């Protein structure tokens, strides 16, 4: 039934449940690549990743090999990372500097840093043909649209569709919150990145990020272990343990507490999980930082920035931003059952080093390839993928609190309980619209 | 070519031993090679004995004193024991190998020099190691339930620096990890900063550089490498 065209796709998604093929079918995955990832605004990187002319970072948008590169005019561009001549990849490393120009390793076509053709050896060979330096086919192709929001660079491979601010919608708060927490109002990328393969469909990750029922189950072992060490430290030293133990032990809050954490769901599948960790302790590091914030913004504004109640912001369908901890996780779907995740960390410009170092613990403990947290998430998603690949049952249940969500006039949905599966229902609403070509 | 081979065989001091071996008349060329191999083996053994005998009078010129060789052997044994501890899952014994301020560190890139202050794969003091140990031993450590085993090999042990209280050791490791039905391979460099403690050593810093640390990780590492 699924090999019929788009209208039947809608049959996969009901208000309270979703057919398992949405997670497993290769043709649906191809459609996701075409109708979602190669159309919408995809995060490429931060401007500070390419500081100097010639600096580049390679990445994938959908299935397209791209390169984000800074030109001599200091403009950041996103180009297809291939030679227009015979298709050969031009920037071979994850990141680097291209120097004065990009040179193809095959026939030495050279390109300016903005992608325009610079020279072709023995150009006279093209005399009288339609391939000449004025032909745009002679130059590297650029992404249809490139824009940035507070230093975060996005590209869209489609000339049509909403502009970036409209696409981000309410999820803009992710970047505002992170940058506003910097006394200088902007952040700088840390030039290393954790990269982990998930053996599951990308939707598992996106759903999991705002799934408030799973942490105390999935992460019980680590939460309990960290709480034990926290107690030990308190008993032995009489002092409060470092905050990073709390990062881990907080996962094992009771179900009731998790149920009281709000999720907010917005059009296009974006969402917010409200804060629960209490990331503003009363200690000298925090106080020094707060003083810097007061100095930069004045007390009232600084307090507004510091008291924003956010844990996660999801930019559907591929980005999870934890603004108070200065990290983003980017998904690059590879196959129905394979997803690359890249996790980046940022420094708040003008904030004391201690604030960065504190959040670094979270970044490492939760995301590194030796994480004690995601180890169990990845295990769940892998096992979940296997289950959905089996024909044991066809429907994935999203019934929790169905019919009890509060829909607002602006299209947003408040879950009246933190463990509501409103998050998944909202994501699939957007998914259906994307695949049907409505967005 | 054949003559050359013969001459070289002649030069070998154990030619007689080789010749004694019954050789068939056919396939002379091949047999010559085989003989040579046998001859070489014997040569090296004999030569070793002879060299050992010759060395005695020049012993004063040997730069490596016995103490250095003892350190070499001692740190090798220490590294082997650490591998054994990991492969037999004696997590507390692993933590006990570290000094009170000991740190286990796996950076993302080789250019990183400090264990704190930049992203790392592992960056654990003894208390964080305790969290990791307690986690993997917890009955609800879900990702620990599939079949899992490791096999470590440590080699290329080089003492980079030795002072009165400290030894800096570089070595290479190869780790095979079985998880469910698949085997993964990991390799890289260990850099142990060992402090002398009683008759043995404690680890002040163990730096682990995975040779493929920047490639995407297929799933994660549950325990120290």
């Amino acid at each position: 039934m699924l090999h019929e065209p788009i209208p039947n796709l809608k049959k996969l998604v009901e208000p309270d449940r979703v057919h398992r093929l949405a997670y497993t079918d290769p043709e649906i995955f191809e459609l996701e690549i075409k109708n979602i990832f190669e159309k919408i605004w995809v995060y490429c990187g931060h401007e500070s990743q390419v500081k100097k002319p010639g600096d580049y970072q390679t990445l994938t948008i959908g299935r397209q090999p791209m390169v984000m590169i800074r030109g001599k005019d200091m403009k950041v561009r996103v180009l297809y990372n291939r030679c227009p001549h015979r298709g050969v990849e031009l920037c071979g490393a994850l990141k680097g500097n291209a120097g004065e120009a990009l040179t193809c390793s095959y026939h030495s076509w050279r390109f300016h840093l903005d992608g325009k053709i610079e020279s072709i050896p023995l150009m006279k060979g093209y005399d009288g043909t339609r391939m000449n330096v004025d032909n745009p086919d002679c130059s590297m192709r650029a992404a249809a649209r490139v824009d940035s929001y507070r230093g975060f660079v996005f590209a869209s491979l489609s000339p049509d569709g909403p502009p970036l601010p409209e696409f981000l919608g309410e999820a803009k708060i992710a970047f505002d919150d992170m940058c506003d927490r910097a006394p200088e109002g902007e952040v700088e990328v840390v030039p290393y990145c954790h990269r982990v393969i998930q053996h599951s469909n990308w939707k598992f990750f996106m759903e999991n990020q705002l799934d408030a029922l799973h942490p105390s189950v999935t992460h019980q072992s680590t939460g309990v272990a960290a709480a034990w060490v926290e107690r030990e430290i308190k008993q032995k030293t009489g002092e409060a343990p470092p905050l990073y133990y709390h990062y881990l032990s907080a996962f094992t809050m009771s179900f009731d507490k998790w149920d009281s954490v709000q999720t907010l769901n917005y059009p296009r599948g974006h969402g917010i999980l409200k804060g629960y960790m209490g990331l503003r302790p009363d200690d000298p590091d925090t106080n020094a930082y707060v003083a810097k914030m007061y100095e930069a913004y004045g007390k009232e504004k600084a307090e507004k920035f510091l008291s924003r109640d956010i844990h996660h912001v999801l930019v559907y369908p591929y980005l999870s931003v934890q603004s108070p901890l200065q990290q983003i996780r980017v998904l690059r779907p590879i196959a129905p059952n394979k997803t690359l995740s890249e996790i980046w960390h940022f420094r708040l410009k003008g904030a004391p080093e201690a604030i960065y170092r504190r959040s670094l613990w979270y970044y490492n403990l939760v995301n590194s390839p030796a994480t004690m947290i995601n180890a169990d998430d990845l295990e769940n998603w892998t096992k979940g993928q296997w289950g959905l690949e089996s024909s044991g049952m066809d429907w994935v249940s999203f019934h929790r609190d169905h019919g009890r969500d509060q829909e607002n006039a602006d299209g947003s949905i408040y879950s009246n309980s933190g463990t509501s599966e409103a998050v998944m229902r909202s994501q699939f609403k957007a998914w259906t619209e994307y695949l049907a070509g409505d967005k | 070519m054949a003559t050359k081979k013969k001459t070289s065989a002649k030069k070998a001091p154990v030619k007689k031993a080789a010749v004694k071996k019954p050789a068939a008349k056919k396939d002379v060329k091949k047999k010559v090679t085989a003989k040579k191999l046998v001859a070489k083996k014997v040569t090296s053994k004999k030569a070793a004995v002879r060299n050992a005998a010759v060395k005695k009078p020049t012993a004063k010129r040997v730069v490596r004193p016995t103490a250095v060789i003892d350190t070499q052997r001692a740190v090798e044994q220490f590294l082997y024991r650490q591998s054994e501890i990991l492969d037999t899952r004696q997590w507390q014994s692993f933590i006990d190998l570290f000094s009170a301020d000991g740190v286990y560190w796996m950076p993302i890139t080789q250019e990183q020099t400090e264990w704190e202050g930049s992203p790392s794969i592992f960056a654990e003091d003894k208390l964080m190691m305790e969290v990791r140990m307690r986690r993997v031993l917890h009955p609800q450590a879900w990702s620990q339930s599939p079949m899992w085993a490791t096999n470590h090999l440590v080699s290329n042990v080089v003492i980079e620096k030795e002072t009165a209280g400290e030894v800096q050791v570089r070595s290479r490791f190869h780790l095979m990890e079985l998880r469910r039905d698949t085997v993964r391979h990991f390799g890289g460099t260990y850099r142990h900063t060992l402090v002398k403690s009683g008759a043995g050593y404690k680890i002040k810093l163990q730096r682990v550089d995975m040779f493929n640390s920047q490639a995407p990780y297929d799933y994660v590492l549950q325990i120290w490498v």
Side-chain angles (χ1 to χ4, degrees), chain A residues 129-295:
Chain A
T129 75
R130 59 178 162 178
M131 186 59 103
N132 58 60
V133 289
D134 299 323
N135 184 339
D137 285 349
C138 218
S139 293
M140 291 171 75
R141 179 169 292 179
R145 294 179 294 164
V146 180
D147 198 358
S148 73
Y149 187 78
R150 299 202 71 165
F152 295 83
V153 181
F154 293 77
S156 160
L157 301 185
S158 164
D160 309 315
L164 179 63
E166 191 186 325
F167 165 77
L168 291 174
E170 295 293 330
K172 280 202 291 280
I173 191 72
F175 310 103
D176 287 332
D177 186 42
M178 202 193 293
C179 296
D180 289 346
R181 285 171 185 273
E184 291 176 24
E186 52 183 47
V187 294
E188 184 169 19
V189 76
V190 178
Y192 312 113
C193 151
H194 290 314
R195 303 168 78 213
V196 177
I197 297 281
Q198 304 169 353
H199 288 277
S200 46
N201 190 270
W202 57 270
K203 296 180 207 75
F204 270 101
F205 173 87
M206 293 307 284
E207 291 158 10
N208 188 82
Q209 292 304 288
L210 264 58
D211 180 319
L213 193 58
H214 90 278
S216 54
V217 187
T218 302
H219 306 304
Q220 187 186 356
S221 60
T222 303
V224 167
W228 190 92
V229 173
E230 265 185 316
R231 274 197 304 276
E232 278 286 294
I233 296 173
K234 259 184 228 162
Q235 276 172 13
K236 281 186 181 157
T237 66
E239 284 169 25
L243 192 63
Y244 47 80
Y245 292 102
H246 178 63
Y247 291 158
L248 300 177
S249 62
F251 281 98
T252 46
M253 295 192 319
S254 68
F255 283 145
D256 286 345
K257 273 195 180 168
W258 278 111
D259 205 30
S260 67
V261 179
Q262 273 281 340
T263 60
L264 310 171
N265 303 284
Y266 296 104
R268 293 182 198 280
H270 305 326
I272 291 176
L273 176 68
K274 296 279 231 167
Y276 66 88
M277 272 189 174
L279 293 172
R280 198 176 155 186
D282 182 16
D283 61 28
D285 290 340
T286 311
N287 296 340
Y289 163 60
V290 171
K292 283 221 161 191
M293 287 291 284
Y294 279 14
E295 208 178 291

Side-chain angles (χ1 to χ4, degrees), chain A residues 283-414:
Chain A
D283 61 28
D285 290 340
T286 311
N287 296 340
Y289 163 60
V290 171
K292 283 221 161 191
M293 287 291 284
Y294 279 14
E295 208 178 291
Y297 297 107
K299 188 179 172 185
E300 197 185 330
K301 212 169 171 191
E303 280 300 332
K304 185 188 145 207
F305 291 161
L306 290 168
S307 57
R308 276 203 193 108
D309 188 21
I310 291 175
H311 183 68
H312 263 129
V313 181
L314 282 195
V315 180
Y316 190 76
Y318 64 90
L319 203 59
S320 161
V321 185
Q322 276 180 283
S323 43
L325 292 157
Q326 302 130 248
Q327 65 165 45
I328 62 170
R329 299 184 239 193
V330 191
L331 295 186
R332 311 279 181 203
I334 297 168
N337 61 356
K338 195 174 178 187
T339 308
L340 170 66
S341 63
E342 299 172 342
I343 307 108
W344 294 94
H345 198 211
F346 297 85
R347 280 173 188 275
L348 301 174
K349 277 193 170 177
E353 173 73 7
I355 296 301
Y356 165 70
R357 292 198 172 204
R358 192 159 76 188
S359 66
L360 179 64
W361 280 93
Y362 186 90
Y363 174 77
N364 285 335
L365 289 169
V366 174
N367 302 297
S368 101
T371 167
M372 292 184 267
I373 295 295
N374 272 352
D376 293 307
D377 286 323
L378 290 157
E379 178 76 357
N380 275 349
W381 308 335
T382 304
K383 293 190 294 189
Q385 186 70 26
W386 290 342
L388 298 189
E389 281 167 5
S390 88
S391 55
M393 293 176 104
D394 276 340
W395 294 94
V396 182
S397 159
F398 294 125
H399 296 88
R400 181 176 279 275
D401 285 313
H402 180 237
R404 283 194 283 276
D405 304 322
Q406 180 192 323
E407 291 197 31
N408 300 311
D410 62 355
S412 67
I413 298 168
Y414 284 85

Side-chain angles (χ1 to χ4, degrees), chain A residues 36 266-270 316 425-435 439:
Chain A
I36 305 180
Y266 296 104
R268 293 182 198 280
H270 305 326
Y316 190 76
R425 294 189 289 267
S426 164
Q427 292 184 0
F428 269 105
K429 188 167 170 275
W431 184 81
T432 316
E433 288 163 357
Y434 272 126
L435 287 204
K439 277 237 152 97

Side-chain angles (χ1 to χ4, degrees), chain A residues 190 192 194-197 199 217-218 220-222 225 228 245 356 360 364 368-370 372 375-376 378-379, chain B residues 108-109 111 117-118 120-122 127 130-132 134-135 142-143 146 179-180 214 216-221:
Chain A
V190 178
Y192 312 113
H194 290 314
R195 303 168 78 213
V196 177
I197 297 281
H199 288 277
V217 187
T218 302
Q220 187 186 356
S221 60
T222 303
W228 190 92
Y245 292 102
Y356 165 70
L360 179 64
N364 285 335
S368 101
M372 292 184 267
D376 293 307
L378 290 157
E379 178 76 357
Chain B
I108 299 185
T109 65
E111 67 207 43
S118 62
S120 300
I121 296 168
F122 287 87
L127 285 167
E130 172 105 27
V131 176
R132 189 175 289 276
R134 287 182 170 269
R135 163 191 143 59
W142 308 107
S143 53
R179 194 176 142 77
R180 287 210 167 83
Q214 281 191 288
Y217 275 74
D218 196 76
Y219 192 54
V220 297
L221 302 157

